[in-house]
């Protein structure tokens, strides 16, 4: 038998049974006698408990996780540290792991059930991340599925501790390495997005029934997380909606900058998909793993003179060679009359040619004299440098407006130029341009500001998500009690609504811790009747917890035990369990066999036997048998009476305890 079963820890927790064994601890089922409830206790193994530094980290992590309060996170109730025993007291879960649940469903779940589970898981992560706690070991084995279909994430903060005991990827780590992020596989610094990656792998496995990467050793699987691209879920199961595949692959992006920035961002996509399963997010899935491919280069032409690649060259100009003149034509000798007619024709052609030349010359003179100025090129000028000027200053400067046309092209934010000043121009100042050219300018809209929004009465997670969408940071929250604002909702914030802020500025939130807890003194209830005890607890603003009836020598209905000692100080509203007497316990019942000698004066007789006037035996028997041996029951000393045919024939006391 296990050494701890049957033991009482801290005079409070009774160890009942072993319910699990892990790499660093043994988990027991136990009963808390103070609060009268079953709990799970995780006891640190002795070989690890001998390491003082490991024990310190074990308790620091457990105390941090104990601050978490979320319906999808296994609650931590208590942390104890003794000379030879270190343990954590947790909520006892009535359910099975998500891994076991998937195995029961033949490995995969339908997409609706997967969506239901992953939404709860990511909500749990968002709550933990908002309090600075990263799980580091999200996998189906650490997620519990309850009978009502809800899930709870277990072992928050444990992975950080385990890293102190195991620094290498061994076969023992194979269960976790299938779900670790690439940055974990590389041994790099990690943040909350490592949990987002692991949640994406869990969603991938629920949808497809298989892991994105597998191998013979943890190292080979880890390398695939870093270098490989998983098969898309829809290739394995075409019934998966495209939007859910996009969410899965974005969560599993090996490039951390392409992954969801936080759990709230992933929740928004999951909620949008839940409302409309036909939605498509149009994510560039190819960019999630490695670098994006470079666009195709334009076709290049080989320069044959150099043999190198360069821009397409203009084809060489080929000079067209004029054809050789035809050989001189040979005419037969003209007759003298024909020759004279030819000369006459030539003289008649000279006059029109002279007239045409004269008219062309006059036209050219008039063109040069009167019209050439209309097409003269404007003299070139240097574009002025307008940066730093306002449009009013530009329009008020005639040296600019007489020579150039200035047009405002757009407005852009700038932390260098004040609002209204020109921050850029085209063409640039000093560029040679023609007089009258247009200069396009970009005007500063001033410093880019974000206007603070109202986040009062939002949950802390909702407020953080909205502020991060605006590019603002959120400082560590301050918790204050409030009678008006629900627990975990924002009471107030700084700066006020409408304040202009710069991107990256920090917002401080004051969050409600619920109504202020008052402390009261527990009254003495033992010896009081149950009704009186109820009235006393109500007067002290305490509640009645469980009521158990127990055997007692005290009068029935009297309180004989209270779970919190009288005079103790507890929070207002605390439940006090009571044990109430149901009177003395009845003595044990024993049996005795007696001998009855039958009469001989009759053939049959009705034999009746009583024990303290209570009939214990009655039967008609044949006297020929001689004797009968009835068995009687009772406790202590009882009077036995024997009747034959209604008449008492024997009366004596019988001690059943001897």
């Amino acid at each position: 038998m296990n050494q701890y079963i049957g033991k009482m820890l801290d005079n409070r927790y009774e160890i009942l049974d072993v319910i699990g064994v892990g790499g660093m601890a043994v988990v027991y089922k136990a009963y808390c006698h103070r609060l009268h409830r079953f709990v799970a206790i995780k006891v640190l193994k002795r070989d690890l408990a001998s390491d003082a530094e490991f024990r310190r980290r074990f308790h620091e992590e457990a105390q941090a996780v104990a601050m978490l309060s979320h319906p999808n996170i296994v609650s931590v109730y208590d942390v104890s540290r003794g000379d030879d025993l270190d343990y954590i007291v947790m909520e006892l879960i009535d359910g099975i792991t998500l891994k076991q649940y998937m195995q029961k469903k033949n490995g995969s779940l339908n997409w609706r059930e997967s969506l239901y589970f992953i939404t709860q898981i990511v909500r749990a992560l968002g709550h933990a991340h908002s309090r600075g706690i990263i799980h580091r070991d999200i996998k189906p084995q650490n997620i519990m599925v309850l009978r009502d279909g809800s899930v709870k994430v277990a072992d928050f903060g444990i992975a950080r501790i385990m890293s102190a005991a195991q620094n290498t990827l061994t076969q023992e780590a194979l269960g976790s390495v299938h779900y670790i992020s690439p940055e974990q596989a590389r041994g790099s610094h990690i943040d909350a997005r490592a949990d987002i990656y692991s949640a994406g792998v869990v969603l991938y496995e629920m949808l497809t029934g298989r892991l994105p990467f597998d191998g013979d050793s943890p190292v080979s699987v880890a390398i695939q997380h870093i270098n490989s691209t998983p098969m898309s879920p829809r290739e394995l199961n075409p019934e998966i909606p495209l939007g859910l595949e996009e969410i899965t692959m974005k969560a599993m992006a090996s490039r951390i900058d392409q992954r969801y920035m936080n759990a709230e961002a992933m929740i928004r996509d999951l909620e949008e998909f839940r409302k409309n399963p036909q939605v498509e997010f149009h994510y560039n899935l190819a960019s999630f793993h490695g670098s994006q491919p470079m666009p195709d280069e334009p076709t290049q032409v080989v320069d044959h003179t150099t043999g190198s690649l360069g821009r397409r060259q203009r084809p060489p100009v080929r000079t067209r060679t004029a054809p050789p003149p035809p050989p001189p034509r040979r005419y037969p000798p003209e007759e003298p009359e024909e020759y004279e007619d030819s000369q006459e024709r030539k003289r008649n052609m000279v006059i029109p040619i002279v007239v045409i030349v004269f008219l062309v010359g006059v036209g050219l003179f008039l063109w040069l004299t009167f019209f050439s100025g209309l097409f003269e090129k404007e003299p070139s000028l240097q574009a002025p440098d307008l940066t730093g000027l306002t449009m009013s200053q530009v329009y008020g400067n005639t040296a600019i407006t007489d020579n150039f046309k200035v047009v405002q092209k757009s407005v852009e934010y700038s932390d260098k130029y004040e609002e209204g000043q020109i921050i850029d121009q085209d063409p640039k100042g000093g560029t040679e341009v023609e007089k009258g050219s247009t200069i396009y300018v970009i005007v500063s809209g001033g410093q880019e500001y974000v206007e603070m929004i109202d986040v009062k009465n939002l949950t802390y997670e909702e407020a953080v998500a909205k502020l991060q969408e605006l590019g603002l940071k959120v400082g560590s929250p301050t918790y204050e009690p409030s009678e008006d604002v629900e627990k975990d909702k924002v009471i107030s914030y700084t700066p006020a609504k409408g304040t202009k802020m710069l991107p990256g500025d920090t917002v401080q939130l004051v969050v409600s811790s619920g109504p202020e807890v008052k402390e009261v003194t527990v009254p003495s209830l033992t010896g009081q009747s149950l009704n009186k005890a109820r009235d006393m607890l109500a007067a002290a603003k305490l509640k009645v917890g469980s009521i158990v009836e127990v055997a007692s020598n005290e009068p029935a209905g009297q309180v004989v035990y209270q779970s919190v000692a009288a005079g103790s100080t507890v929070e207002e509203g605390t439940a006090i369990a009571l044990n109430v007497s149901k009177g003395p316990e009845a003595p044990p019942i024993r049996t005795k066999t007696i001998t009855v000698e039958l009469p001989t004066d009759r053939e049959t007789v009705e034999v009746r036997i009583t024990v303290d006037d209570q009939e214990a035996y009655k039967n008609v028997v044949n006297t020929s048998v001689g004797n009968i041996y009835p068995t009687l029951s009772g406790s202590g000393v009882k009077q036995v009476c024997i009747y034959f045919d209604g008449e008492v024939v024997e009366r004596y006391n019988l001690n059943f305890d001897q």
Side-chain angles (χ1 to χ4, degrees), residues 285-320:
L285 302 184
S287 68
F288 292 163
H289 298 270
S291 59
Q292 297 187 48
M294 296 298 291
D296 293 338
E297 291 289 339
T299 304
Q300 296 176 324
V301 178
V302 177
D303 184 342
H304 295 284
T305 61
T306 63
S308 62
L309 287 172
R311 294 183 178 176
R312 184 180 296 274
Q313 302 295 317
R314 185 175 296 174
V317 178
R318 297 183 179 179
T319 305
R320 190 168 184 177

Side-chain angles (χ1 to χ4, degrees), residues 338-564:
E338 294 177 350
Y339 178 78
E340 289 178 0
D341 291 339
S342 175
Q343 293 298 318
E344 182 67 24
R345 286 194 296 270
K346 289 180 180 179
R347 283 194 296 268
N348 292 336
M349 292 177 63
V350 170
I351 296 173
I353 292 173
V354 171
V355 173
I356 292 172
V357 171
F358 173 80
L359 293 175
V360 171
V362 171
L364 182 59
F365 172 81
L366 293 174
W367 175 271
L368 294 174
T369 303
F370 297 104
F371 302 107
S372 62
L374 296 176
F375 297 93
E376 283 182 357
K377 188 176 182 180
E378 290 285 351
S380 63
L381 299 173
Q382 282 192 346
D385 184 4
L386 305 180
T387 54
L389 300 178
T390 65
M391 293 301 290
S392 298
Q393 291 171 328
V394 169
Y395 293 144
N397 189 332
T398 55
I400 298 174
T401 56
D402 288 351
N403 295 290
F404 305 94
K405 182 180 180 181
V406 180
V407 176
Q408 179 176 315
K409 180 181 178 182
S410 62
V411 176
E412 293 181 4
Y413 291 114
S414 172
D415 54 3
K416 180 179 178 182
Y417 293 92
E418 294 181 2
E419 185 176 0
Q421 290 183 331
I422 295 172
I423 62 178
D424 200 6
Q425 66 182 79
D426 182 28
K428 303 290 186 184
T431 304
E432 290 286 333
V433 295
E434 294 178 8
K435 182 179 179 179
S437 297
T438 299
I439 301 175
Y440 295 93
V441 297
I442 298 175
V443 177
S444 170
Q447 178 72 52
E448 182 180 8
Y449 289 103
V450 177
E451 190 169 297
M452 180 61 190
I453 60 174
D454 184 10
V455 294
K456 187 176 180 180
N457 287 320
L458 296 180
T459 66
Y460 176 76
E461 290 81 3
E462 290 171 344
V464 170
K466 288 185 176 293
L467 293 170
Q468 287 179 343
E469 284 179 354
L470 296 176
L472 299 173
K473 295 181 180 178
V474 181
S476 299
T478 301
Y479 286 86
E480 292 182 2
S482 174
E483 298 292 333
D484 303 319
V485 181
E486 294 179 19
K487 184 179 179 182
D488 290 329
K489 289 191 173 182
V490 177
I491 299 174
S492 61
Y493 50 87
T494 306
K497 176 186 176 183
T499 302
K500 287 187 176 181
M501 306 178 67
L502 299 177
D505 282 357
T506 300
V507 177
Q508 298 296 336
L509 301 178
V510 178
V511 181
S512 171
S513 58
E516 184 176 5
V517 177
K518 298 179 181 179
E519 293 188 338
V520 295
T521 302
V522 178
S524 176
L525 306 174
T526 54
Q528 304 292 337
S529 68
L530 178 59
N531 288 337
K532 178 67 174 177
R534 290 180 189 274
D535 293 340
M536 294 173 68
L537 288 174
K541 295 186 177 180
L542 297 171
K543 295 180 181 179
V544 178
S546 61
I547 298 174
V548 179
E549 289 189 357
V550 296
S552 170
N553 292 327
E554 301 298 328
Q558 181 174 303
V559 176
V560 296
Y561 169 81
Q562 60 188 83
S563 60
V564 181

Side-chain angles (χ1 to χ4, degrees), residues 187-236:
S188 304
H189 171 75
I190 66 169
D191 59 21
R193 288 172 290 184
D195 284 349
I196 299 295
Y197 182 93
S198 300
V201 177
V202 172
L203 178 55
Y204 185 104
E205 185 178 7
M206 286 193 291
L207 291 171
T208 67
R210 57 178 284 182
L211 291 160
F213 304 115
D214 206 352
D216 296 331
S217 69
V219 173
S220 67
V221 177
I223 291 173
Q224 290 180 67
H225 278 288
I226 298 171
N227 297 327
S228 301
T229 301
M231 185 179 295
S232 69
R234 283 162 58 87
E235 290 183 70
L236 300 171

